[in-house]
Amino acid sequence: MSGDETKKYLFGEKLRTVRERKHLTLKSVAQRANVSESLVSQIERNKVSPAIDTLLAIADALDISLEFLFEEYSRRRPVSVIHREERRKINEEDVVYEELSDPFSGNGEHSFESYTIRIPAGSRTHRGNYGHLGKEMGLIVRGKGILHYGNKEIPLQEGDSVTFNAGAPHTLENTGAEELSALWIVAPAQKFNA
């Protein structure tokens, strides 16, 4: 098998295995999918790559999901590593955000970002005076503070976590005498997605 062939995702064997386990003939699957028996056979033998509508029809005929068909492909996606010394940082006045995940490794709808936030005593995040699409989750790693969420004030201390819809204005204020350190996850990616 050449290098180019190993890069292609071949799911024909999976289709054939499902068809045989369900005791279906090539002809019956072809009729259900409204395609030729020859085409189903060629797809099962990885001789042709079907158009997406054909693949959807065959998957529907076999009562399987595309997630099942492509699960190995999903596992082959590269692993993203950000070494400590390579992490991007954003300074907003005296608050420091340090990137932990690569927001570009997502596919848009399912993208997310994670970062640490370090807020000096008596300060707060500055850019959350507006809302945005998505959700956020935070974990207070060290210190204590208040999450200002819309017109609510939610006290948080070390070990507390918070999850919220990011549509309302929100800021995190350090109310302690030491630096507040937090781990934050945002979906879809916002801050480091530029």
Side-chain angles (χ1 to χ4, degrees), residues 7-15 18 43 46 48-60 62 64-78 107:
K7 290 179 185 175
K8 289 196 290 188
Y9 178 66
L10 306 175
F11 48 80
E13 289 180 20
K14 199 175 232 187
L15 289 171
V18 170
I43 292 168
N46 295 309
V48 296
S49 290
I52 190 67
D53 57 337
T54 302
L55 183 59
L56 288 169
I58 292 172
D60 190 46
L62 292 170
I64 56 175
S65 69
L66 289 181
E67 290 84 6
F68 169 74
L69 275 181
F70 289 102
E71 66 185 341
E72 282 85 13
Y73 174 76
S74 296
R75 289 187 201 138
R76 290 187 206 163
R77 291 189 179 157
N107 65 1

Side-chain angles (χ1 to χ4, degrees), residues 129-192:
N129 292 324
Y130 56 88
H132 56 84
L133 292 175
K135 293 192 77 163
E136 297 192 18
M137 189 286 281
L139 169 68
I140 306 302
V141 176
R142 187 179 65 239
K144 66 179 184 175
I146 293 176
L147 175 69
H148 298 273
Y149 181 76
N151 58 6
K152 296 179 183 176
E153 292 187 353
I154 303 161
L156 298 168
Q157 58 187 345
E158 188 172 312
D160 290 347
S161 62
V162 62
T163 305
F164 55 93
N165 182 317
H170 51 278
T171 57
L172 182 61
E173 177 184 4
N174 183 347
T175 57
E178 305 175 338
E179 179 181 80
L180 183 147
S181 177
L183 170 67
W184 225 255
I185 299 172
V186 180
Q190 300 282 325
K191 190 171 293 297
F192 286 94

Side-chain angles (χ1 to χ4, degrees), residues 60-118:
D60 190 46
L62 292 170
D63 194 29
I64 56 175
S65 69
L66 289 181
E67 290 84 6
F68 169 74
L69 275 181
F70 289 102
E71 66 185 341
E72 282 85 13
Y73 174 76
S74 296
R75 289 187 201 138
R76 290 187 206 163
R77 291 189 179 157
V79 174
S80 175
V81 175
I82 301 175
H83 297 284
R84 173 178 272 191
E85 65 277 4
E86 296 170 350
R87 290 183 186 151
R88 293 187 294 171
K89 292 182 184 178
I90 295 176
N91 292 14
E92 292 179 350
E93 297 182 28
D94 54 352
V95 177
V96 178
Y97 300 85
E98 188 170 342
E99 179 182 40
L100 298 175
S101 64
D102 178 3
F104 299 107
S105 63
N107 65 1
E109 180 184 346
H110 300 292
S111 75
F112 75 95
E113 63 185 351
S114 60
Y115 47 82
T116 59
I117 306 173
R118 294 192 321 262

Side-chain angles (χ1 to χ4, degrees), residues 19 23-41 44 61:
R19 179 180 60 76
H23 306 290
L24 297 171
T25 64
L26 282 169
K27 184 176 183 176
S28 64
V29 171
Q31 287 174 338
R32 290 179 186 184
N34 201 26
V35 296
S36 73
E37 186 177 339
S38 171
L39 179 59
V40 175
S41 175
E44 285 187 357

